[in-house]
Structures are given as C-alpha cells and as structure tokens.
Amino acid sequence: AGFYFSLCVSPQRGSDELLSGSMYNSPSSGLSSISDTTSNGSDSKKLRVEDRVGVAPPSRVLHIRKLPNDVSETEIIALGLPFGKVTNILTLKGKNQAFLELSTEEAAMTMVNYYSAVTPHIRSVPVYIQYSNHKELKTDNSNQMVSFCPNGGTLTSGSNSSDGGGTASSPVLRIIIDNMFYPVTLDVLQQIFSKFGTVMKIITFTKNNQFQALLQYNDPTNAQQAKVALDGQNIYNACCTLRIDYSKLVNLNVKYNNDKSRDYTRPELPAGDGQPALDHTMVAALGKDSTSLLGALSPLSAAAAAAAAAGRVALSGHSGASGVLLVSNLNEEMVTPHSLFTLFGVYGDVQRVKILFNKKDSALIQMADMNQAQLAMSHLNGQKMYSKIIRVTMSKHQTVQLPRDGLDDQGLTKDFTNSPLHRFKKPGSKNFQNIFPPSATLHLSNIPQDITEEDLRVLFSNSGGTVKGFKFFQDHKMALIQMTTIEEAIQCLIDLHNYNTGNNHHLKVSFSKSTI
C-alpha cells in the first residue's frame, strides 16, 4: 500500500531563502491532512508519526526528529540537497519532525551514513535522522503552483498565480551569484530554475571574478516568472544570492555537455576537451525526462557526495567558528606542518598546524571555518599519507595555540594565517567549483609554455610514483596526469603543488574527477 499525503500550501512567500521559499513554492506549508490509505482507496486511518527510534530498513524517505520549533523547509531541505535531489518534504509542525524524500535510496543511505559521523545541526540544535518506514511520500498539491512527481523526481509547473510585471521577450536569463561562499553547480541551478518551466540549456562561466550563468527556457513567459520569483533570493543560508536579468541573447549555442555547459535537448553532444562525459545511463534518462537530472550526473562516489555536503551546507549551525581537526596515525618520521598544510589546503584555508610535541604521530589543524573542517575530514579520513592510513576527527579545541614568544617547539607549530597559498580566500573563486575527493588523477595548471609532457612525467615519477597516463589541455597551460594509486597522487600533490618550474611559474596541483 502506498502512503498518501495531501499537503495544502499557501501561495504567499515569506522566506528569503531559496530551497523552500522558491523551489518548493511556500515556506509556510500548512498541513491539511495526513492519511495512510490502502491501495484500493478505502479504509483511511491516521498515520502514526514515527516517534520510536527503531532501525528501519534503508528507504529513500528519511524521518528527521527534534527539529527546532520555527524550522523552515529551507533548512530541512538543505540537509539533504548535497546528497542528491530532494523530491519531497512533509513537515509535522506540532511534533518537531519531518519526512524528507530523496530521489534514490543510495542518496538517502549516503546521507544517513554521513550524518551518523557528523551530527547535523539546525540553528545550533542537534537533529536526528533515521530511515522511515515509508518508501515514498505522495503529495497532492491541488492548489499549489508547483506539483511534485516523486517517482520521477521532477518539478513541473502547474497553474501559476504569480503576477509578473510586464512581458519579457527573451527566454534567456543572465544569472550572477553574489556572496558565493559555497559552490553553486550547474545542476543546482537546473533544479531551482526548472520549477518555472523546462530548462533547455545552461552555460556557466566566471567573469570579473564572479560566477555567472546563462539559462534558456523554452518560453519567455517561464523566464519572466523565474525572474520575478527568484531575483534577490539566497540559494543557501545567508549566501549565494541570485541576481537575475534578461539576456540580450534569444538562443544559446551549447557545444559541449559537461559540468560547465549543458544542452538538455541534445544529449548526444560531446563532453569537450578534458571534461568528463555524461555517462550513458544519464543520456538515456535525458531522453525521457530532461528535468530529473539533479544529483545523478556526478561521477563522485557515495562517500564523496557525502563529503560535498560539508562544503555546500552550513551543517553545524556555527559556520563562523573555527574548525579544528585532530589528525592521528601520521608517519612521524616524514610528516611536517607544511605537508599537512598542502594536503588539507585542498579542502579549505589552513590557518595553523601543530604537530603534538609528546605524540608526534598526531597533529591539530585549524581550518578557516567549521564547514571547511568537515569537508577536509570527510575527504581525508582513511586516506594514506606517507604509507600510513590517517584518521581525521573534529577536535574539542577551538583554536590552535602558538608557542609563547621565545619558546622553540622544534618547528612543530606553524602559522599559515597570511599564506599566499590559500585556495579559497576569494569569494566566488573558481577553486570552489573544483573540490573533489582524492583520486589517482591530478589536475595541473599554470604550466609554462616551455615545459613538455616528458618534463612533467619525470617530475612526477621522481616523487616516487608511476605515471600511467598524461593529457595536455588544448592551450598547454593545463594537463591531467594519472598516477597508479591515490596514495601516489596524494604524495605528488604534497610534493609538487606550488613547485617552481622556473621564471617564478608555480605549478598548481589538485585532485581531478576525470580519468584519462
């Protein structure tokens, strides 16, 4: 028997954050009835809220408990969004509980596994997540502007009561994102904007150090509705503000389907040089339903998807606080503050590093904020560094203390606060778009014109690994290099990121999501 829920949602907008106020139409969803109906439609009885904490089998519907009283749907959806597409939500206001439905069971499992290690907080209150006994939430939003199709994970436009000012002639919107402290991907834009109609094409780019996008609907009316509803909204809590204008263009010419541009009407397009192709299962899905893509395009593993959560959502509720990590089982003969700075610097701006004086296989690492700390922890815990599997956990310390003036601690503590090597200092930096889990393939940039493939192969082999593959991008300023193992790639990144290749050209090294 399917469980049937009817939701009555009032059309007024009261939230300045997107993922409820806009994507799901209304932040103030009033619950009209909750019933558990047998498959033949008879015998309606009240659904019992899952108060007990039992171990239910995995389900794509999650039961969230102990929510703050005035929690918004935005905040609940933000917990799930990084793991995949959120296809439905049901809040039980009086009981401080909610049901959240993700598009796949795998996404839900990833979310539960991640939050069992990192307790999620909403407004500094810990909340608890478990599998629901329900396998799906069915909503009947008869008087709502947006209708959910949970089975396909699609958001489609229903009747629209919004009153836009005037008619715009272009179906293309130009989108600028201000205060971009967390990455905003093409897929996130597609999920948000497809509420207002079929999104045909998206092109993303960086201009004047700002992340921008051009997005084309099949109809100018859809563009107008989206602009009225979304201009000035925040995608995430207090950041990533959308600034939307009509574009002078009336048609976008998309050459490649990859993570920078997409033509949903032409799934057969190539990926372009150095870009990962869409996998074939996705191409098949594209043909059937061009709006149910979010969360399915990423080639990241489940663990990596979980890790992305820490970077995209303020999980802890105190993102301003410093996040200090405790790293243990280090190779004490080899490890240095600088090697930890370089590796952990892939996931955030490392402020200070202290290798413990009495326990040199352990270190404290202070990141710029709690989100960066959680991102680094989820990507690096269990990886091999100098032949040892390292353990990364949150530390109880708020900061890393520097040695008192005049005291020498054998160079075990280093302050990197003013380092020019921080990757994430600039809001909207391209580096926010390129945070990937450790992988055997490395992305190289800032390569001088006179450096050859052979030079780079020798350089990376000298770091103690074996080069399996190499590929220059067209302009020769960037390349991909594939090592035999992830451990070798980690070693190469530590040794060769910021390596001076001559004439003050410093090589930039990061993990790639592509393979050669």
Side-chain angles (χ1 to χ4, degrees), residues 305-383:
R312 283 201 206 152
V313 179
L315 297 175
S316 58
H318 48 275
S319 54
S322 283
V324 178
L325 296 168
L326 173 64
V327 187
S328 55
N329 202 41
L330 292 162
N331 184 330
E332 57 186 89
E333 305 297 319
M334 305 286 286
V335 73
T336 63
H338 197 271
S339 62
L340 291 168
F341 167 78
T342 305
L343 179 57
F344 281 75
V346 173
Y347 301 108
D349 292 338
V350 175
Q351 306 297 301
R352 295 175 177 177
V353 178
K354 180 190 283 288
I355 294 173
L356 302 184
F357 188 82
N358 295 324
K359 198 173 188 314
K360 292 191 173 65
D361 70 346
S362 299
L364 293 172
I365 299 178
Q366 182 177 330
M367 307 297 285
D369 64 37
M370 182 63 78
N371 298 301
Q372 293 183 2
Q374 287 171 331
L375 190 60
M377 175 177 75
S378 48
H379 277 311
L380 294 174
N381 181 41
Q383 296 289 352

Side-chain angles (χ1 to χ4, degrees), residues 46 50 90 97 119 170 304-305 327 396 421 479 481 484 508 515:
K46 285 287 178 196
E50 295 161 38
L90 176 70
Q97 303 188 19
T119 303
S170 173
V327 187
K396 62 182 187 295
L421 300 182
I481 191 162
T484 312
K508 301 285 177 256
T515 51

